Amino acid sequence: SSSFVTAFPTSLQALEAYFEDATRNYFGISYRDEPVGIIGADNINESFKKLEMKKFVGDKKFRGKGIGKYSTFLFLYYVFIKMEYNKVFIQSLDTNIKNINLNSKFGFELEGILYKEVCIDNIFRDVLRMSLLRKKWIEMFG
């Protein structure tokens, strides 16, 4: 399947450097003691108290079990309550309706469409940007 998410570095040294970058903070996702994915932040901006949330559950057999939903809730709790950040944003291919609907349940709202933002298989694609503010998340879940 096509994606605009850049693959992780393949060498151990490059992977360690990638995760040591202060603009990233990732957590492993486990299901019944088995690692199944990652969730975390990219583009962390301490000055403006905002970050980009990214998540991935790998093996298809673990999808549809609520793992992404539960992980998202815990991550947003961490960001808004523990870190006291103001804004979390996500970016998604225009066709990823399931992901858009899931994130809407957490309070994410459409912030805009980035037209022809990425090129996948020599085809320029639109990207949706959604965001969630701390105040709204606390009103919904606090």
Side-chain angles (χ1 to χ4, degrees):
S1 76
S2 297
S3 174
F4 68 101
V5 177
T6 307
F8 288 119
T10 53
S11 78
L12 181 59
Q13 185 177 7
L15 190 61
E16 286 174 348
Y18 180 87
F19 284 115
E20 287 173 0
D21 184 329
T23 66
R24 295 185 179 97
N25 188 8
Y26 280 88
F27 301 91
I29 300 172
S30 293
Y31 179 73
R32 297 185 178 161
D33 296 324
E34 188 172 345
V36 298
I38 60 169
I39 189 165
D42 242 316
N43 302 307
I44 298 171
N45 186 317
E46 181 67 34
S47 298
F48 297 125
K49 295 290 189 188
K50 68 178 183 176
L51 56 81
E52 178 180 7
M53 181 180 78
K54 293 187 176 180
K55 67 178 173 247
F56 178 73
V57 175
D59 194 323
K60 287 182 167 77
K61 73 180 180 182
F62 293 111
R63 295 183 188 163
K65 297 185 180 300
I67 297 167
K69 190 183 303 183
Y70 189 65
S71 300
T72 299
F73 178 82
L74 291 174
F75 181 74
L76 292 173
Y77 175 86
Y78 173 74
V79 170
F80 290 133
I81 304 302
K82 296 296 182 187
M83 294 178 65
E84 298 183 345
Y85 267 51
N86 184 56
K87 181 178 183 175
V88 172
F89 67 94
I90 55 175
Q91 298 186 113
S92 155
L93 289 175
D94 56 337
T95 57
N96 198 340
I97 301 303
K98 187 175 182 179
N99 192 41
I100 293 165
N101 289 338
L102 169 66
N103 291 311
S104 294
K105 291 177 184 174
F106 286 103
F108 282 90
E109 296 177 335
L110 181 64
E111 195 167 69
I113 300 171
L114 307 173
Y115 296 105
K116 308 299 181 200
E117 180 73 4
V118 296
C119 188
I120 301 168
D121 299 328
N122 294 320
I123 299 169
F124 283 91
R125 301 274 307 272
D126 298 343
V127 171
L128 294 181
R129 179 165 159 154
M130 299 178 78
S131 65
L132 175 60
L133 298 177
R134 181 176 192 261
K135 182 178 187 287
K136 180 166 186 176
W137 190 85
I138 289 174
E139 286 171 2
M140 290 177 71
F141 300 103

